[in-house]
Structure formats: structure tokens, C-alpha cells
Amino acid sequence: MTALSPLTTAVDTARAYTQHATATELGPDDIADLEVAVHELSALYSVKPPEELRARAGKERHRAYHLQHERRHTVQEGRDLSRHAGMLSVILAWIAHDRGQSDMVAAYCDDAWEQGKQAGTLEVGAWAEDVRCTDALYDGRAIDALAAATRGLGVAPRKSDVAIRLTSQLARVHAKLGDRDEFAEAAAKAHQYQGAVPLHGTGLFAVDGVRIVSYDASSYGWLGDHDRARKAALEAIDCYRGIRGPMTAPTRLSIAQLDLALAYSALGEPEAAVQTAREALGAGRLVQSVRGRAKQLNRKLRIDHPAHPDVAALSEEVRLLTV
């Protein structure tokens, strides 16, 4: 568009302002296609291996970048592009977490924050902190996980799905740190939400009641309350096994099974622990969080039951699966 001439009439100038504000090179489906990609990648996430998802997610994120920087667009379109770009970076952060790439998790979470700021939607940053918290927790960085959960809750809309997720995250982080009182307070808040959300959620950004129960299983195990950990893990496993179709959650089922195996080991039931662990490791979606929890179980069994033959056999299986 040519620059306005100082001799342009007042009416023409006013109309030129409007024309400039609405000028765009985006096609009618460009932004809608990005939104669809976010929803499809979210829906497929739990049932597809991260390697299969990475190529498409990366392609869609770069397409968003191209539309942002190579094609003229309106201010509103720019906000929409930033919002979808940020959510695609959150998805890529989850993929990096599943692949054990913590440096990539941090990079994509940082990008999601900045995209959310540009979009005027800080909720995108809250979703990024949900990933960052999980990655830090499984990487043995509980203080970093606490910081991420707290930071996310600071910008999450009140009672939103991400606020509920981060409240549950905060509870298990406090359990990992051994903070019983703080855990009890955060867990009580998470359970207040339990009746208001579906038992089973669909997609990467869903919130559901069974997630809260499965986090309890991990938390009680870290706090040394193994009876309650066993009870929570069994409840979570029963719920996950009842899921059908696109709502299946194989990774979360495996984690719940490994939490149950940890409880069995602590309660003096090595055979049950080994059997449950084999079920978890045979699920097929052997991502980094499952590998890490399997290694933790292996160490626990070798300490609790060093002479048991089943423990030695499982130890070798875990070694081969996690090299």
C-alpha cells in the first residue's frame, strides 16, 4: 500500500486508515487450519508414539512462523497466529519430554510463553508450565518443578482446566519434596475439583478426575504411605482400563502400574510388584517418564528384595528396555 499523501482529502485519509488496518495476505483457512492442527495433535497424542507426532507438530509450528513473519496480517490475526503457535510449542515441549530432551522442553516452553504474551493470552504460558513442571519432576528437579507449578498458577484463569491440572501438579511436587502439610492442602484443593470434571478426559489438554487419583498414587508413595498409594494406584488403573477408543491413556496407565508395583515392593509383595511392572512395560508406549519410573522401581526392588529371583530377571528386562 502506498504512503498517504499530505494532499489526500480528510475522507480519503480516514478510509485509508481503515483499509490499512484490515489489509491481509492470509487466506480464509490459514488460521483455521492451525487451530485444527492443535486439536488433532492433542487428540492423537496419547495413542501415537512421539516420533510419529514430532514431524507433523514441527511442520505446523514452522507454518505458523511463516504466516507470522512472511505474510502480512491484521493485528487480530497476529494474535490468533501467536496463540496457535504457542500451543503448538507446548505440544512440541511434551514431545521433547517424552523423548527425554529437557533442553528442548525449556526452549519450547519459553517460546510458548512469549507467543502467549503476544497473543494477550497468558493461559498459553500456564500450559507451558504444566509441561515444564512434569519434566522437572521426572528429571529429579523437584524445586524447579515447584517453581513451574507456582508460576503457571500465577497466570492460569481461575478454575480453568490448566488451573486444575497445575493444582494437582503442585500437590505431587510437595509430596516429592516431603512437605506433608503443603501436600495435604494442595491435594484437598485438587479433590474439590474432582466432582466438577469428567472421570476421563480427551486430548493432551484435558483435565479429568482419574489424573487426580493417579497423582495421589505417586504422591503417597513418595510420602511413604504405601497402603494409600496402592489403593490410589488400583483405583486409577481400574479407571484407565475402562477407557475405550480415542480416550485411551497408555502412558498414564503404565505410570499408575509402576506406582502400584512400587507400593507392592514396599509392602513386601515382590511377585506382585514384578508382575505389575511387566504389564506396565508391555504397553508399547515406552516414553521417557515410563523409563524413569521403571528404573526407580528396579532400584527399589533390588534394595527391598535383593535375593528374589524374579527381581533379578526384571532388573535385566528393565536394563534392556532403558538403555
Side-chain angles (χ1 to χ4, degrees), residues 29-135:
D29 296 327
D30 283 334
I31 292 175
D33 286 347
L34 286 176
E35 184 176 14
V36 169
V38 170
H39 283 284
E40 287 183 348
L41 286 164
S42 169
L44 293 171
Y45 195 88
S46 67
V47 295
K48 297 288 185 180
E51 292 78 11
E52 186 175 329
L53 294 165
R54 183 177 58 159
R56 184 183 175 192
K59 178 181 178 181
E60 296 292 349
R61 179 63 187 88
H62 197 73
R63 183 157 69 95
Y65 174 86
H66 171 77
L67 294 174
Q68 286 176 301
H69 299 286
E70 303 296 334
R71 303 270 290 278
R72 179 171 181 153
H73 51 264
T74 68
V75 172
Q76 183 58 60
E77 287 173 336
R79 292 194 184 100
D80 290 339
L81 288 172
S82 291
R83 177 165 54 87
H84 297 318
M87 294 306 287
L88 286 165
S89 281
V90 174
I91 292 170
L92 283 161
W94 276 114
I95 292 170
H97 165 66
D98 280 344
R99 291 169 57 84
Q101 300 170 322
S102 290
D103 56 339
M104 291 297 292
V105 173
Y108 278 120
C109 285
D110 290 346
D111 178 62
W113 260 106
E114 291 305 318
Q115 298 298 330
K117 288 179 183 178
Q118 295 299 317
T121 309
L122 292 183
E123 183 176 355
V124 176
W127 283 113
E129 294 308 313
D130 183 46
V131 193
R132 204 189 311 254
C133 177
T134 297
D135 189 69

